[in-house]
Amino acid sequence: REGGLRVHGSTDRIVITGNDFQKNGKSGMEIQNTRDFVVSDNLSVDNGTSASEQFGVFVSATTRDVINGVISGNRFGNSSLDGGTTQTTGIRFGSGGGFNPTDITCDHNSMIGLTSPFGGVAGIRIVKSRNRYTTGAMQGRQALVNGTATVSTAEVQAGDNILLTRVVAGGTTKGVL
């Protein structure tokens, strides 16, 4: 009933790919004090029966900075097995003793149905892009009125870049605004 996988003790250059982590008592994966790591194409669902460990992957810096990581193409979530959900956070960052997660890219992950896709400390230079939070549309149209377009979707998070294009009568794209 512990976590699915724990990398601990200042281990570097780790690749975790193509695994299924399901119904573990703690987080699906924990990456602690590791540098130059890749976590990709894993399934981590229904983990964390303990209220303090309900994460798909937990990136923790306690004795040195966790630097240069990629978390990409994973699925974090709940399947509601046994009638309940346990895993609440897809990717959680932790720090201690003045050490931080730094230079980590989190992209193309699916985190549908979680209370909080990302949790914990902000970290330093954490890039969160092209992650999927809902089953709604990934793109759409919105009229520009007096220089303002209101976008209402869980897919747009603070700090995201939004591409605007100009579409004229007949649906012809005239370029990027």
Side-chain angles (χ1 to χ4, degrees):
R1 300 285 310 177
E2 293 296 319
L5 173 70
R6 185 175 189 208
V7 178
H8 183 313
S10 303
T11 306
D12 295 337
R13 293 176 296 284
I14 297 294
V15 176
I16 303 167
T17 186
N19 300 286
D20 288 351
F21 301 101
Q22 298 184 49
K23 295 185 69 74
N24 292 293
K26 294 188 176 183
S27 301
M29 295 165 272
E30 181 178 354
I31 313 297
Q32 189 174 52
N33 304 319
T34 299
R35 295 180 175 172
D36 301 310
F37 66 91
V38 175
V39 175
S40 67
D41 302 314
N42 296 290
L43 172 68
S44 181
V45 297
D46 302 314
N47 292 301
T49 55
S50 163
S52 63
E53 296 284 341
Q54 297 176 325
F55 321 124
V57 63
F58 181 35
V59 179
S60 174
T62 59
T63 60
R64 69 177 185 161
D65 291 338
V66 174
I67 301 174
N68 297 330
V70 174
I71 303 172
S72 180
N74 301 286
R75 179 176 169 247
F76 303 113
N78 285 301
S79 66
S80 298
L81 291 175
D82 301 328
T85 59
T86 53
Q87 192 168 300
T88 58
T89 304
I91 302 170
R92 181 170 175 86
F93 298 103
S95 65
F99 299 102
N100 292 294
T102 304
D103 294 320
I104 299 173
T105 299
C106 305
D107 64 0
H108 297 289
N109 297 293
S110 174
M111 297 187 266
I112 296 172
L114 296 172
T115 306
S116 172
F118 292 95
V121 299
I124 300 169
R125 292 184 301 275
I126 306 294
V127 176
K128 304 170 190 171
S129 65
R130 298 177 297 256
N131 295 295
R132 187 90 163 123
Y133 307 116
T134 69
T135 57
M138 289 291 286
Q139 63 183 17
R141 290 185 176 204
Q142 178 64 42
L144 188 65
V145 179
N146 295 329
T148 302
T150 302
V151 178
S152 147
T153 174
E155 297 299 328
V156 178
Q157 301 291 309
D160 281 356
N161 292 320
I162 299 172
L163 175 66
L164 300 175
T165 57
R166 181 173 180 225
V167 179
V168 295
T172 306
T173 301
K174 289 294 185 183
V176 177
L177 297 177

